C-alpha cells in the first residue's frame, strides 16, 4: 500500500471553494480504486494549511489513476475548481507507506 499525503497552502478566504474541490476529489479517488482518508482543514492555528491523505494498493495503481489527469473529463472538471477559484496557492505531494501495529 502507498499513501499520498498532499500538503496544501490555501487561500483562507476561499475555504468554501476548497471544500468543493476536496469533495470532488474524494469521490474520484474512491471511484478509481483508491481509499480516501479525508481532507483536513484548518480549525485552530494557521488558517492557510490543509492536508489530504489517500491510498492505493501500489504505486502502479496510483499511476493508473494519475494517467487520467488532464485527459478524463471528470478529472479536468475537478481541477478546474482549483484553477478558477484560486483556492489552492501551493501544494506538494509526499508518498508514504504505513507502519501498522503488530500483535
Amino acid at each position: 500500500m502507498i499513501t499520498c499525503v498532499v500538503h496544501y497552502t490555501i487561500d483562507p478566504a476561499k475555504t468554501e471553494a476548497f471544500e468543493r474541490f476536496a469533495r470532488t476529489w474524494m469521490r474520484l479517488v474512491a471511484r478509481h480504486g483508491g481509499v480516501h482518508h479525508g481532507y483536513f482543514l484548518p480549525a485552530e492555528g494557521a488558517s492557510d494549511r490543509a492536508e489530504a491523505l489517500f491510498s492505493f494498493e501500489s504505486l502502479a495503481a496510483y499511476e493508473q489513476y494519475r494517467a487520467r489527469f488532464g485527459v478524463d473529463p471528470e478529472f479536468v472538471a475537478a481541477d478546474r475548481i482549483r484553477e478558477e477559484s484560486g483556492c489552492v496557492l501551493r501544494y506538494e505531494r509526499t508518498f508514504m507507506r504505513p507502519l501498522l501495529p503488530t500483535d
Side-chain angles (χ1 to χ4, degrees), residues 20-68:
R20 232 177 329 117
F21 165 80
R23 289 181 200 291
T24 302
W25 280 109
M26 284 189 279
R27 282 193 305 275
L28 289 173
V29 165
R31 185 176 300 148
H32 294 284
V35 174
H36 211 294
H37 307 290
Y39 279 80
F40 299 85
L41 305 175
E44 292 185 35
S47 62
D48 66 344
R49 298 203 46 197
E51 308 286 330
L53 288 90
F54 56 93
S55 298
F56 281 86
E57 69 179 45
S58 66
L59 187 56
Y62 171 78
E63 288 172 349
Q64 288 179 334
Y65 157 81
R66 282 289 295 172
R68 297 177 177 279

Side-chain angles (χ1 to χ4, degrees), residues 62-81:
Y62 171 78
E63 288 172 349
Q64 288 179 334
Y65 157 81
R66 282 289 295 172
R68 297 177 177 279
F69 280 63
V71 178
D72 184 300
E74 286 184 303
F75 283 59
V76 171
D79 229 18
R80 192 174 301 125
I81 297 169

Side-chain angles (χ1 to χ4, degrees), residues 85-96:
S85 71
C87 63
V88 175
L89 304 176
R90 182 174 55 255
Y91 68 94
E92 73 179 51
R93 261 184 237 104
T94 303
F95 294 94
M96 314 284 286

